């Protein structure tokens, strides 16, 4: 029985979340193409923006993709995961609809203020404050209200995951938490803990400041509250991809998950270690003692452990599947994997690219070597490998497999779907490679027109290649990414608008049990209350004294007035 037949209300919820997320993906992706071409100077005369509007494009690209697309896709995907793994409908679907509406209203408010940057003559404020919205750059209050509503909406949606589990537990008092539900809970425990920082920043400081109720805010304090949230949010994006790699990808490969206990250990480690690492984004901030930055660095490097465990477990699961399909040899089994199946190739390639992003992330994490690439184009190069591919491409693969199950319609344009993941990886390889090399040459990020020659130009000395070659490679890579995105959206729209065939589509949406099941792990792994308490203690250790020091001279001091943009 297809998911839509068994859980029609939940399938509708997933469709709406995915639909809004795909709209954000389309607009944000278009902004990404414009940004890549304008910044590199290619076809700039054909683009309908000026240097000031470039920052509107940059803000829209970051907010719509990193915050809106991700949050809607995750909340919808988790509705499916909880419902499927507990094998019961949501306890309070109206609560999920309430959270969804809050996220839509918040997204609309934030998007309007961002898009007002294209028409400054309108009597509305704008919000060219980029994805990180650091003070003293000041956006219109509606931007901050919208951001708050988006986050609060996700909290409301997540609440019903736990309420549904409570109802399931009453009927199954001795059962282990199903793996997918366990992964959802671990992700949202981390999300509730980490997003509290940005909620305090926005509600307690930025909204009153933008409305004129307070005249100044402390930029260091608000920046710290943002990065308290800003790095854990990366794991809010990545853990849903992990859920897909651990549970869906082995099935698509023709096998089973290698180890359920290892998967639970990985998610527990992310609950413990994701939040107390934000200071590694603030290595150059002079108001934070080096010792606290060192603690953040060690915590960040400890996060390599769950990533390495994931690489081992997922690869072992894929090998098992390939050998079930007749694969043999030390690496020859790779040829037996279903690379022509878009749902598989998208997720598998996303995991491969994420491994490369992990290596560049180690550079970001190290205190001394970070100074070489801080605030350079290296950082978005890394970011596009991790979130821009590990999450985005994985969710495209999930969509290829899941959309037929939530619509009852066959996937359309399968040839386009089959080539789309490979086009994405080629484009991302070109763009990210050039960005990393440009970062080593000192190319700045967040700039519309970096000066390469003439008076005031910085001495960019590329390690390999030339600056013009890097710029061309970024432009070509960005264009290929947009082409790949267009292919994906064509498949989704074609599937959504197609007519169901005779009767309901039959899709095997079952997930096989793991080779090593939950019975092979201690029950303490399922006790998220214990792990949450330990995570809170680690956060207090990492952030307690630094925040006390920032607040000691006054909550709003040393302060800065706003600079509306």
């Amino acid at each position: 029985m297809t998911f839509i037949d068994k859980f029609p209300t939940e399938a509708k919820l997933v469709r709406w979340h995915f639909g809004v997320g795909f709209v954000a993906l389309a607009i944000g992706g278009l902004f990404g193409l414009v940004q890549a071409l304008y910044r590199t100077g290619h076809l700039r005369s054909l683009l309908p923006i000026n240097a000031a509007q470039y920052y509107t494009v940059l803000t829209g690209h970051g907010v719509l993709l990193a915050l809106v697309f991700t949050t809607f896709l995750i909340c919808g995907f988790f509705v499916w995961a909880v419902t499927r793994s507990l094998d019961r409908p949501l306890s309070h679907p109206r609560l999920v609809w309430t959270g969804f509406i809050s996220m839509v209203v918040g997204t609309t408010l934030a998007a309007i203020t961002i898009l007002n940057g294209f028409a400054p003559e309108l009597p509305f404020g704008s919000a060219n404050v980029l994805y990180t919205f650091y003070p003293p750059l000041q956006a219109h209050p509606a931007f901050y209200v919208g951001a708050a509503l988006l986050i609060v909406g996700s909290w409301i949606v997540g609440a019903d995951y736990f309420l549904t589990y409570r109802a399931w537990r009453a009927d199954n008092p001795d059962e282990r938490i199903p793996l997918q539900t366990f992964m959802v809970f671990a992700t949202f425990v981390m999300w509730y803990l980490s997003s509290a920082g940005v909620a305090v920043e926005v509600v307690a400081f930025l909204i009153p400041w933008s409305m004129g109720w307070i005249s100044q805010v402390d930029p260091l304090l608000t920046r710290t509250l943002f990065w308290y949230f800003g790095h854990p949010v990366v794991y809010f994006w990545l853990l849903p991809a992990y859920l897909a790699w651990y549970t869906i990808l082995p099935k698509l490969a023709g096998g089973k998950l290698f180890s359920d206990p290892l998967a639970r250990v990985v998610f527990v480690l992310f609950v413990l270690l994701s939040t107390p690492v934000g200071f590694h984004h603030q290595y150059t901030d002079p108001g934070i003692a080096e010792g606290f930055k060192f603690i953040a660095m060690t915590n960040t490097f400890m996060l390599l452990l769950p990533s390495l465990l994931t690489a081992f477990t997922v690869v072992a699961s894929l090998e098992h599947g390939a050998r079930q399909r007749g694969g043999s040899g030390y690496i020859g089994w790779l040829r037996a994997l279903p690379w022509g199946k878009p749902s598989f190739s998208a997720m598998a390639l996303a995991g491969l690219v994420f491994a490369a992003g992990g290596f560049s992330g180690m550079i970001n994490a190290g205190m001394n070597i970070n100074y070489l690439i801080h605030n350079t184009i290296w950082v978005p190069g890394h970011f596009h490998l991790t979130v821009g591919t590990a999450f985005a491409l994985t969710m495209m693969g999930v969509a290829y497999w899941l959309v037929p199950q939530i619509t009852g319609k066959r996937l359309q344009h399968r040839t386009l779907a089959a080539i789309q993941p490979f086009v994405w990886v080629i484009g991302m390889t070109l763009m990210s490679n050039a960005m990393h090399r440009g970062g080593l040459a000192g190319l700045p990020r967040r700039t519309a027109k970096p000066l390469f020659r003439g008076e005031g130009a910085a001495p960019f000395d590329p390690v390999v290649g030339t600056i013009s070659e890097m710029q061309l490679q970024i432009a070509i890579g960005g264009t290929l990414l947009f082409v790949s995105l267009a292919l994906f959206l064509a498949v989704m729209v074609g599937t959504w608008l197609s007519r169901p065939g005779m009767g309901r589509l039959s899709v095997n949406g079952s997930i096989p049990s793991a080779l090593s099941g939950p019975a092979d792990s201690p029950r303490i792994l399922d006790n998220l209350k214990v792990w949450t308490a330990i995570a809170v203690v680690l956060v207090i250790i990492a952030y307690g004294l630094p925040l006390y020091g920032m607040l000691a001279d006054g909550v709003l001091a040393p302060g800065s007035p706003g600079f509306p943009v």
Side-chain angles (χ1 to χ4, degrees):
M1 182 180 293
T2 308
F3 186 81
I4 188 175
D5 296 317
K6 192 171 185 180
F7 303 108
T9 300
E10 288 72 17
K12 186 177 182 179
L13 280 165
V14 179
R15 289 198 303 273
W16 275 98
H17 280 85
F18 275 30
V20 175
F22 291 157
V23 171
L25 177 64
I27 300 172
L30 176 61
F31 284 175
L33 174 64
V34 173
Q35 177 189 339
L37 294 177
Y38 188 91
R39 191 182 193 277
T40 58
H42 292 89
L43 304 178
R44 184 181 291 171
S45 61
L46 301 179
L47 300 176
I49 66 169
N50 55 38
Q53 292 170 337
Y54 171 85
Y55 296 100
T56 298
V57 170
L58 182 56
T59 302
H61 176 69
V63 171
L64 289 174
L65 295 187
L67 293 179
V68 177
F69 163 65
T70 56
T71 303
F72 276 95
L73 263 291
I74 291 167
C75 288
F77 183 43
F78 281 3
V79 166
W80 168 83
V82 169
T83 303
R84 192 217 65 81
S85 59
L86 295 180
D87 195 26
R88 65 187 301 135
L90 295 174
S91 295
H92 301 82
R94 289 185 179 180
L95 192 62
V96 180
W97 282 117
T98 301
F100 172 79
I101 292 170
S102 175
M103 292 194 295
V104 170
V105 172
T107 297
T108 303
L109 288 175
I112 288 174
T113 58
I114 293 170
L115 296 177
N116 281 345
F118 292 120
E121 67 277 4
L122 293 177
F124 306 106
S126 60
N128 289 351
V129 290
L130 310 187
Y131 148 72
T132 48
F133 51 86
Y134 293 149
L137 299 181
Q138 188 179 76
H140 188 273
F143 175 83
Y144 299 121
V145 173
L149 287 174
L150 177 65
I151 293 173
V152 170
S154 71
W155 291 352
I156 296 172
V157 172
D160 199 32
Y161 304 151
F162 292 89
L163 293 174
T164 303
Y165 166 74
R166 185 175 67 177
W168 175 87
R169 176 56 75 192
D171 297 333
N172 302 271
D174 299 321
E175 295 291 325
R176 298 293 297 270
I177 304 175
L179 182 59
Q180 285 189 326
T181 297
F182 177 83
M183 291 174 164
V184 170
F185 285 1
T187 303
F188 258 81
V189 164
M190 183 273 297
W191 177 238
Y192 285 132
L193 179 62
S194 62
S195 57
V198 74
V200 171
E201 178 198 13
V202 170
V203 175
F205 296 102
L206 300 187
I207 292 177
W209 177 59
S210 63
M211 289 185 171
W213 299 343
I214 56 177
S215 61
Q216 63 183 30
V217 294
D218 181 351
L220 179 61
L221 174 61
T222 52
R223 179 180 171 94
T224 299
L225 289 172
F226 177 86
W227 283 119
Y228 171 89
F229 149 87
H231 195 80
V233 73
V234 173
Y235 301 109
F236 180 61
W237 304 326
L238 289 176
L239 291 184
Y242 277 39
L243 186 153
W245 298 346
Y246 275 112
T247 63
I248 301 176
L249 191 57
K251 171 200 169 64
L252 296 176
K256 299 180 178 182
L257 173 64
F258 179 73
S259 174
D260 178 296
L262 268 179
R264 293 175 193 260
V265 168
V266 164
F267 275 72
V268 166
L269 288 173
F270 277 116
V271 169
L272 297 179
L273 300 174
S274 293
T275 304
V277 298
F279 283 135
H280 86 242
H281 288 270
Q282 297 178 264
Y283 284 151
T284 60
D285 286 9
I288 301 169
E290 294 296 310
F292 299 124
K293 297 174 184 177
F294 180 80
I295 292 173
M297 180 184 70
T298 57
N299 287 339
T300 305
F301 278 113
M302 288 176 67
L303 280 166
L304 287 172
L305 176 59
S307 295
L308 292 173
L309 289 174
T310 295
F312 168 79
T313 308
V314 173
V315 171
S317 303
L318 295 183
E319 182 178 356
H320 172 262
R323 295 193 185 280
Q324 300 306 302
R325 299 167 61 91
S328 60
Y330 288 114
I331 60 174
W333 56 269
L334 289 168
R335 294 193 298 270
L337 293 171
W339 295 104
K341 184 182 295 184
S343 51
F344 173 85
S345 60
M347 292 188 219
L349 290 172
L352 184 64
V353 172
F354 176 64
F359 286 113
S360 66
M362 289 191 288
I363 305 301
N364 302 344
M367 286 181 65
N368 292 336
I369 200 167
N370 177 277
Y371 296 141
L372 296 175
I373 50 87
H374 181 79
N375 216 26
T376 71
I377 201 171
W378 170 290
V379 179
H382 161 76
F383 194 72
H384 281 82
L385 289 180
T386 52
V387 179
T389 298
F391 175 81
L393 190 56
T394 294
M395 295 311 296
M396 292 176 189
V398 167
Y400 288 140
W401 185 69
L402 190 56
V403 166
Q405 299 181 52
I406 62 174
T407 61
K409 301 176 181 180
R410 296 188 183 278
L411 190 70
Q412 302 296 304
H413 312 305
R414 293 189 65 87
T415 301
L416 298 183
I419 65 174
Q420 180 268 328
F422 296 93
V423 177
W424 185 277
V425 170
I426 293 171
M428 188 61 73
T429 300
L430 291 172
M431 188 179 77
S432 183
N433 170 270
M435 284 182 167
H436 280 87
R437 289 188 291 123
L440 293 177
L443 289 182
R445 61 185 297 201
R446 301 190 178 106
T447 51
K449 296 180 179 180
L451 292 176
F452 300 114
R453 59 183 64 86
E455 184 177 356
F460 300 115
D461 297 318
V463 178
V464 178
T466 65
I467 295 295
S468 59
E469 170 264 322
M470 294 176 195
Q471 297 288 81
L472 177 61
Q473 193 168 315
I474 291 173
I476 294 174
T479 302
L480 287 175
L481 286 170
F482 183 75
V483 169
S484 177
L485 173 59
L487 294 177
F488 169 75
L489 293 175
V491 174
M492 289 295 103
V493 172
T495 301
W496 227 283
L497 299 181
S498 66
R499 294 182 178 181
M502 295 299 294
R504 284 294 186 184
L505 174 67
S506 177
V507 177
N508 182 6
S510 63
I511 304 293
S513 57
L515 294 173
S516 174
D520 297 328
S521 64
R523 283 186 173 269
I524 187 65
L525 285 176
D526 288 8
N527 193 337
L528 286 173
K529 292 180 180 179
V530 171
W531 306 120
T532 302
I534 297 173
V536 170
V537 171
L538 293 175
V539 167
I540 292 173
I541 293 172
Y543 276 95
L545 287 176
L547 287 176
Y548 175 79
M550 295 176 197
L551 296 171
D553 52 2
V555 176
L556 304 178
S560 171
F563 294 88
V565 290

